[in-house]
Amino acid sequence: DQQVKQNSPSLSVQEGRISILNCDYTNSMFDYFLWYKKYPAEGPTFLISISSIKDKNEDGRFTVFLNKSAKHLSLHIVPSQPGDSAVYFCAASAGKDSWGKLQFGAGTQVVVTP
Amino acid sequence: NAGVTQTPKFRILKIGQSMTLQCTQDMNHNYMYWYRQDPGMGLKLIYYSVGAGITDKGEVPNGYNVSRSTTEDFPLRLELAAPSQTSVYFCASNDPHASGEYTDTQYFGPGTRLTVL
């Protein structure tokens, strides 16, 4: 039972443009959401997170938006750079009752073209 | 800090063989985790530990065992390897309360790519 879904397996974007990655979840108990970035042959690295008490969190070029009523979050990368080419995973946890038990989406491969 | 280190990077096993995947972290994190990632899928939690001597099952624990005798080390044991265990294995660690505010940000090792033939 996939509780976190990333329905777009891949995304191609031109350098300088905006990348928008989407993630949907089904478990209403999720209250903490994260995005991880993964390069080939490396482990995932943390990118940005958001708590369910917020609807937006920004860190430099990266912004995560959370729509709790729609059970949807998105990651915006502006402007996209060649170094952003990677697989991006959305993850969620149910907070205190499930500390550490992250549920991951299947990932979205982003390719930034010159 | 080296962060989270994993050995080996690659391994090929025959069906029925056993092996231990090593994981060490030098961040003094209490929580440690083992995940597997199959092609085209997200990471799935195998086992986790909230401190030395304390371990618990994750989503996909069958065929695996763990132990946690020190804060730094969290080895994953595969007994009687099967082709279904062909995957990339990631170890991670964190301390959810380190900053005084809850965070589930986990720090991952580089992974071990295991093939069972």
Side-chain angles (χ1 to χ4, degrees), chain B residues 15-33:
Chain B
I15 294 172
Q17 286 186 319
S18 302
M19 78 164 292
T20 299
L21 282 67
Q22 302 291 346
C23 175
T24 300
Q25 54 92 9
D26 62 359
M27 297 174 280
N28 202 33
H29 286 161
N30 286 321
Y31 286 55
M32 294 187 74
Y33 314 84

Side-chain angles (χ1 to χ4, degrees), chain B residues 8-108:
Chain B
K9 286 192 185 337
F10 305 96
R11 184 74 186 267
I12 297 175
L13 282 182
K14 293 183 179 177
I15 294 172
Q17 286 186 319
S18 302
M19 78 164 292
T20 299
L21 282 67
Q22 302 291 346
C23 175
T24 300
Q25 54 92 9
D26 62 359
M27 297 174 280
N28 202 33
H29 286 161
N30 286 321
Y31 286 55
M32 294 187 74
Y33 314 84
W34 275 105
Y35 292 90
R36 60 177 285 172
Q37 187 195 7
D38 299 328
M41 306 287 287
L43 283 72
K44 292 193 182 298
L45 184 65
I46 305 171
Y47 269 96
Y48 68 101
S49 167
V50 301
I54 307 169
T55 63
D56 206 350
K57 296 177 181 178
E59 192 180 351
V60 289
N62 291 345
Y64 307 94
N65 277 302
V66 293
S67 59
R68 183 99 181 269
S69 55
T70 66
T71 299
E72 295 79 19
D73 300 305
F74 190 39
L76 178 71
R77 178 85 178 156
L78 278 72
E79 307 280 2
L80 299 173
S84 60
Q85 293 178 304
T86 294
S87 190
V88 181
Y89 291 84
F90 292 101
C91 179
S93 74
N94 73 341
D95 191 343
H97 315 287
S99 62
E101 179 181 310
Y102 171 73
T103 172
D104 223 340
T105 303
Q106 297 179 14
Y107 300 88
F108 284 81

Side-chain angles (χ1 to χ4, degrees), chain A residues 74-97:
Chain A
S74 61
L75 174 69
H76 292 207
I77 306 174
V78 185
S80 300
Q81 299 175 353
D84 297 331
S85 294
V87 177
Y88 290 78
F89 292 99
C90 171
S93 75
K96 286 186 178 180
D97 292 335

Side-chain angles (χ1 to χ4, degrees), chain A residues 16-111:
Chain A
R17 301 286 187 116
I18 183 170
S19 294
I20 300 177
L21 290 76
N22 294 303
C23 178
D24 296 295
Y25 62 96
T26 57
N27 188 344
S28 57
M29 298 301 291
F30 287 151
D31 63 358
Y32 196 80
F33 304 88
L34 309 92
W35 286 93
Y36 280 85
K37 177 179 179 178
K38 185 183 179 305
Y39 293 118
E42 294 185 12
T45 55
F46 170 73
L47 196 55
I48 192 168
S49 63
I50 188 166
S51 157
S52 61
I53 61 173
K54 297 183 177 180
D55 54 19
K56 178 182 172 181
N57 189 26
E58 276 182 273
D59 185 0
R61 297 185 298 114
F62 303 92
T63 303
V64 56
F65 295 92
L66 175 61
N67 183 334
K68 286 187 299 256
S69 60
K71 293 193 179 69
H72 176 85
L73 65 155
S74 61
L75 174 69
H76 292 207
I77 306 174
V78 185
S80 300
Q81 299 175 353
D84 297 331
S85 294
V87 177
Y88 290 78
F89 292 99
C90 171
S93 75
K96 286 186 178 180
D97 292 335
S98 299
W99 272 329
K101 295 180 186 176
L102 293 179
Q103 293 283 336
F104 282 84
T108 297
Q109 172 79 59
V110 172
V111 176

